[in-house]
Amino acid sequence: MNIQVLYGTETGNAEMLAEDIAAELEAEHEVTATNLSDFDPADFDRGTLYLLVCSTYGDGELPASAQPFAEKMEAEQPDLTGVHFGIFGMGDSEYEETFNGGPATLAELMIARGATQLGERIAHDASGADMAEDLAFPWAEEIVGMASDALGQAA
């Protein structure tokens, strides 16, 4: 299966997690990790599974590297019907009102353009006891399993 891990980051934590997820999956799949700032929404491919990893910045906003992607999504309004994605959010629950706001915004952008979200959006809490990898690796495997059914032969 072709998998592209797209990440939006401010400090590099989402990038490191995206690369770890890609490394975890690459034994059985073709996997790349790409910064959202380097990805054009016109390049979504319906035969590829997208795993989005995104942090939150400021008052629940998208991190700097995801903002150009979001602006292009709003401006170009691409039709993402048939595109499948999963989303893993990173944040800190000490910021109660804005916790995981960036990933929620990113998921809303994808769904508004017709993409299909697989599984639940995970909201990792930096103030919690779980390491991000401990949640991300099982999540990624679960989404890949769902995508095998959803993408069928195209994958």
Side-chain angles (χ1 to χ4, degrees):
M1 177 183 307
N2 290 325
I3 300 170
Q4 189 159 21
V5 185
L6 298 173
Y7 60 88
T9 191
E10 188 74 31
T11 62
N13 290 335
E15 178 180 5
M16 287 189 291
L17 182 60
E19 290 173 352
D20 288 346
I21 291 169
E24 186 75 8
L25 297 173
E26 70 185 7
E28 297 181 30
H29 306 281
E30 293 292 322
V31 186
T32 58
T34 305
N35 192 326
L36 278 167
S37 66
D38 299 327
F39 186 81
D40 190 320
D43 292 338
F44 277 108
D45 175 69
R46 286 163 179 74
T48 297
L49 170 64
Y50 295 92
L51 298 177
L52 282 62
V53 178
C54 187
S55 61
T56 297
Y57 183 71
D59 294 325
E61 298 152 2
L62 289 168
S65 80
Q67 290 178 6
F69 173 82
E71 290 168 4
K72 281 187 176 181
M73 288 279 282
E74 292 290 344
E76 298 172 7
Q77 305 270 323
D79 178 5
L80 301 183
T81 303
V83 171
H84 291 82
F85 74 99
I87 185 160
F88 189 95
M90 301 177 77
D92 188 334
S93 65
E94 288 190 18
Y95 303 95
E96 194 172 307
E97 293 183 24
T98 61
F99 178 60
N100 265 277
T105 298
L106 189 57
E108 289 169 7
L109 283 172
M110 296 291 290
I111 293 168
R113 304 280 26 104
T116 301
Q117 181 176 334
L118 300 175
E120 297 292 322
R121 178 172 49 87
I122 301 295
H124 176 258
D125 181 4
S127 291
D130 295 317
M131 298 293 293
E133 297 81 14
D134 293 342
L135 299 176
F137 294 169
W139 164 81
E141 289 292 338
E142 180 182 359
I143 299 302
V144 168
M146 290 177 181
S148 295
D149 295 336
L151 298 177
Q153 294 298 323

